[in-house]
């Protein structure tokens, strides 16, 4: 692993246009459970019953009580970990330019990254279904369920529910940055959910080096990634960033 960290640090130290694709694995270390896989939220609740836009529109109080309130509590107590902080530091150093994330926790922005493309929106914000006003989830009064805007409209998390489409401009811009980056870091994602999983493929086809940082191998490992550093995102990214700083 030390050799791979050294190799990656040398590549990053000489790069100016690095894009990172991040998934649930980067936020698990902040206490945020994944939606899919063992221990994920979808093992506890049926996503079609509690996370589909039709279910929300039919009975928003039910969805708030059984799903959104729990997510709010989790996010209220979560903060950026070493992986988030390291990506923000790499942006400060002029190396990382853009984050493409499948996460909805807003931790990249809290850590300090300024250009974050959120494929699935952001649970850290609510949007009024009537007047379209946005309001921070952490400041939301949930003594009344569903919570309402000052205009009387119901607040819905500003993220993509099942049955909704990924904002086309997010997809277009992700494809653009993936096709022009020199290095893509793939951190904490199984690369199974499309279209996010296509971004490393686009980057590779355009000539970028694709480096995975994951606990285990993924569908990208054999055909797309140049190599994988296996381990916890926070630990690896902290070591990697320290080595980059030493080289600069």
């Amino acid at each position: 692993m030390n050799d791979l960290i050294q190799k990656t640090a040398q590549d990053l130290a000489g790069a100016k246009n690095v894009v990172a694709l991040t998934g649930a694995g980067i936020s698990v270390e902040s206490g945020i459970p994944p939606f899919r896989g063992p221990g994920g939220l979808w093992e506890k609740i049926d996503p079609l019953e509690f996370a589909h836009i039709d279910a929300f529109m039919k009975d928003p109080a039910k969805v708030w009580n059984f799903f959104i309130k729990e997510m709010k509590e989790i996010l209220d107590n979560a903060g950026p970990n070493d992986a988030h902080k390291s990506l923000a530091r790499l942006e400060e150093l002029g190396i990382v330019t853009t984050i493409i994330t499948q996460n909805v926790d807003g931790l990249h922005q809290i850590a300090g990254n300024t250009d974050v493309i959120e494929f699935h929106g952001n649970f850290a914000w609510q949007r009024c279904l009537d007047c379209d006003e946005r309001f921070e989830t952490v400041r939301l009064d949930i003594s009344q369920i569903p919570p309402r805007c000052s205009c009387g409209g119901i607040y819905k998390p500003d993220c993509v529910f099942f049955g909704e489409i990924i904002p086309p401009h997010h997809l277009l811009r992700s494809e653009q940055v993936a096709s022009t980056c020199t290095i893509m870091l793939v951190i904490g994602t199984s690369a199974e959910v499309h279209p996010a999983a296509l971004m490393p493929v686009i980057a590779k086809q355009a000539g970028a080096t694709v480096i995975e940082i994951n606990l285990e191998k993924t569908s990208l490992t054999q055909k797309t990634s140049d190599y994988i550093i296996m381990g916890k995102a926070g630990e690896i990214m902290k070591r990697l960033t320290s080595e980059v700083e030493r080289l600069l």
Side-chain angles (χ1 to χ4, degrees):
M1 182 190 293
N2 289 334
D3 289 344
L4 289 178
I5 288 177
Q6 179 68 29
K7 174 179 172 57
T8 303
Q10 290 173 344
D11 288 344
L12 290 176
K16 296 297 182 184
N17 185 14
V18 176
V19 171
L21 171 68
T22 67
I26 198 173
S27 291
V28 165
E29 295 172 47
S30 291
I32 300 175
F35 288 98
R36 295 173 175 81
L41 288 173
W42 300 154
E43 286 190 343
K44 298 170 58 178
I45 64 172
D46 181 352
L48 296 183
E49 183 177 358
F50 295 104
H52 196 286
I53 187 59
D54 291 345
F56 184 89
M57 299 305 292
K58 179 181 179 181
D59 193 346
K62 176 182 176 181
V63 175
W64 263 97
N65 275 316
F66 287 93
F67 174 46
I68 304 175
K69 279 176 64 176
E70 180 178 354
M71 281 298 300
K72 172 176 163 51
E73 181 178 348
I74 291 170
L75 294 181
D76 284 352
N77 292 286
N81 60 56
D82 285 338
H84 297 103
K85 294 173 185 177
S86 294
L87 286 171
R89 177 58 180 152
L90 290 174
E91 179 180 321
E92 288 180 351
L93 295 172
I95 295 170
V96 167
T97 57
T98 305
I99 307 289
I100 304 170
T101 188
Q102 300 168 83
N103 299 333
V104 296
D105 48 50
L107 293 181
H108 285 301
Q109 294 94 322
I110 295 173
N113 284 110
T114 59
D115 187 13
V116 183
I117 303 172
E118 295 171 310
F119 253 48
H120 301 139
N122 192 326
F123 221 105
W125 288 86
Q126 304 289 322
R127 188 178 294 276
C128 174
L129 292 178
D130 287 354
C131 73
D132 213 37
E133 178 197 5
R134 293 178 82 233
F135 195 85
E136 283 185 284
T137 302
V138 70
R139 296 171 50 221
L140 195 66
D141 179 6
I142 59 171
S143 59
Q144 175 191 14
I145 296 293
R148 292 182 179 271
C149 172
S150 57
C151 79
I154 292 172
Y155 277 122
K156 169 190 170 293
D158 197 15
C159 59
V160 178
F161 276 43
F162 286 95
E164 296 184 299
I165 64 169
I166 291 172
H169 64 283
H170 287 175
L171 179 57
L172 177 60
R173 182 139 191 277
S174 295
E175 292 173 345
Q176 290 173 337
V177 299
S179 64
T180 56
C181 69
T182 56
I183 297 175
M184 176 169 281
L185 298 174
V186 180
I187 309 172
T189 175
S190 62
E192 296 293 338
V193 179
H194 290 265
L198 293 176
M199 298 307 120
V201 177
I202 292 172
K204 183 70 173 181
Q205 290 175 342
T209 299
V210 177
I211 304 167
E212 282 188 86
I213 298 171
N214 272 314
L215 285 172
E216 55 191 24
K217 294 180 180 180
T218 73
S219 59
L220 296 174
T221 306
Q222 296 299 325
K223 296 182 179 179
T224 303
S225 302
D226 287 84
Y227 54 90
I228 180 171
I229 307 175
M230 295 177 65
K232 291 184 177 181
E235 176 186 338
I236 291 173
M237 287 302 300
K238 184 176 182 178
R239 290 175 59 187
L240 184 57
T241 303
S242 294
E243 184 62 20
V244 169
E245 290 176 323
R246 189 187 68 81
L247 293 171
L248 291 177

